[in-house]
Amino acid sequence: IFDSISSSNLDLSLVNDSPFEWMITMSDFRNVFGQDLQKHATRYKTEPEVVLNVRFPSQYPSRAPEIRIVRPILKMYTGRSCGGAFCIPELVRKGWDSDNEIARRGKNPEKRMSRLLDTLRDVLQEHGRVDMETCNAYPRKYFDAAMSRIHARPDFEKAYSVDGIFY
């Protein structure tokens, strides 16, 4: 599965040698988000990259993986994220099923994950802004709280979008 997802701007590694949990480092972003990452990296002497943590449920690919931003912290209401959780339909129960857009474009789990990572890269690149005031990582509890709010809302699309655009 790594071979089908790997690219020059993605680095994947297993967490504790488990195939069910990955760390993914994304780099080489363009436009304003890429500039933000570069400024942040210079300021805090880090790399200009986004680190994601991915956990696969035992029901994958029938259920969506849990994907959270570890670092950098994004400015509030940018990157279609909240507390490190991506607020996009493809990653919530309602939006992830065998008929969703990602599944139609890639029927097997490897293609599905690759397409999802492409989607997340696009979302970050188009909508993300880095919080320049901190070099910390998102605490896990922020992600858990955000996911609880997202899954508790049957009207997810209304709750986390403005004029149909998700933040």
Side-chain angles (χ1 to χ4, degrees):
I1 193 167
F2 281 166
D3 293 337
S4 65
I5 295 173
S6 295
S7 71
S8 61
N9 51 24
L10 271 183
D11 181 43
L12 295 102
S13 61
L14 299 177
V15 175
N16 297 323
D17 293 323
S18 170
F20 301 106
E21 186 172 3
W22 301 354
M23 291 302 280
I24 297 177
T25 303
M26 294 179 153
S27 59
D28 195 30
F29 286 89
R30 307 266 187 265
N31 65 32
V32 176
F33 187 66
Q35 293 168 7
D36 275 4
L37 284 173
Q38 191 60 53
K39 287 177 191 172
H40 189 267
T42 300
R43 175 182 259 180
Y44 295 106
K45 297 178 179 30
T46 61
E47 295 297 319
E49 60 194 17
V50 173
V51 178
L52 306 175
N53 177 257
V54 180
R55 289 184 181 175
F56 294 93
S58 59
Q59 302 89 350
Y60 183 80
S62 297
R63 290 210 29 220
E66 175 186 277
I67 301 178
R68 73 181 183 98
I69 302 168
V70 176
R71 66 178 183 276
I73 291 179
L74 302 182
K75 285 184 179 179
M76 189 68 96
Y77 304 116
T78 71
R80 296 184 181 172
S81 68
C82 176
F86 285 101
C87 299
I88 61 172
E90 293 89 344
L91 287 175
V92 295
R93 290 180 198 131
K94 183 178 175 184
W96 183 273
D97 60 30
S98 59
D99 293 329
N100 75 17
E101 184 66 22
I102 292 172
R104 282 196 295 277
R105 288 186 277 161
K107 296 288 186 194
N108 65 41
E110 293 85 3
K111 284 187 180 177
R112 226 175 163 176
M113 192 62 199
S114 181
R115 300 254 190 227
L116 180 57
L117 291 173
D118 288 344
T119 298
L120 297 178
R121 172 180 284 286
D122 291 345
V123 164
L124 288 169
Q125 197 156 260
E126 292 174 28
H127 305 284
R129 294 301 308 265
V130 177
D131 183 345
M132 296 295 176
E133 302 305 314
T134 181
C135 66
N136 294 331
Y138 279 106
R140 175 73 197 200
K141 66 182 179 181
Y142 289 9
F143 173 83
D144 292 340
M147 291 306 291
S148 292
R149 288 190 307 273
I150 290 168
H151 288 301
R153 300 289 302 256
D155 59 341
F156 166 80
E157 292 183 10
K158 291 179 188 171
Y160 293 94
S161 69
V162 176
D163 296 329
I165 304 298
F166 290 88
Y167 63 83

